[in-house]
């Protein structure tokens, strides 16, 4: 169950980051290199989405572990 939650979380946050970064229209700034601009958008989406997802999953794990503290 944990593995499914991790995969879904990563993919969801990567898709959300891609959607948000696409709204910035980076490809307009790099109009000379449109293919490279798309690669930059995808790479940034993966990096930001993975980071946010990892934070979210760690936060949930830490909240679960608070029960052991008490």
């Amino acid at each position: 169950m944990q593995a499914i939650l991790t995969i879904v979380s990563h993919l969801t946050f990567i898709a959300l980051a891609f959607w948000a970064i696409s709204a910035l229209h980076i490809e307009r700034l790099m109009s000379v290199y449109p293919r490279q601009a798309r690669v930059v958008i995808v790479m940034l989406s993966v990096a930001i989405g993975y980071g946010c997802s990892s934070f979210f999953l760690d936060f949930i794990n830490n909240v679960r572990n608070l029960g052991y503290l008490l």
Side-chain angles (χ1 to χ4, degrees), residues 14-35:
I14 289 171
L16 184 64
F18 180 79
W19 173 72
I21 292 172
S22 294
L24 296 175
H25 300 290
I26 294 174
E27 61 273 1
R28 288 184 190 169
L29 298 173
M30 298 177 62
S31 60
V32 179
Y33 306 106
R35 288 184 184 165

Side-chain angles (χ1 to χ4, degrees), residues 27-56:
E27 61 273 1
R28 288 184 190 169
L29 298 173
M30 298 177 62
S31 60
V32 179
Y33 306 106
R35 288 184 184 165
Q36 286 85 351
R38 288 186 212 125
V39 172
V40 167
I41 291 171
V42 169
M43 298 294 278
L44 280 173
S45 299
V46 169
I48 293 170
Y50 178 79
C52 290
S53 177
S54 294
F55 171 78
F56 177 71

Side-chain angles (χ1 to χ4, degrees), residues 1-2 9-10 18 33 42 49 55-56 63-64 66 68:
M1 194 64 169
Q2 181 72 25
S9 175
H10 286 333
F18 180 79
Y33 306 106
V42 169
F55 171 78
F56 177 71
V63 168
R64 271 193 212 158
L66 279 177
Y68 297 119

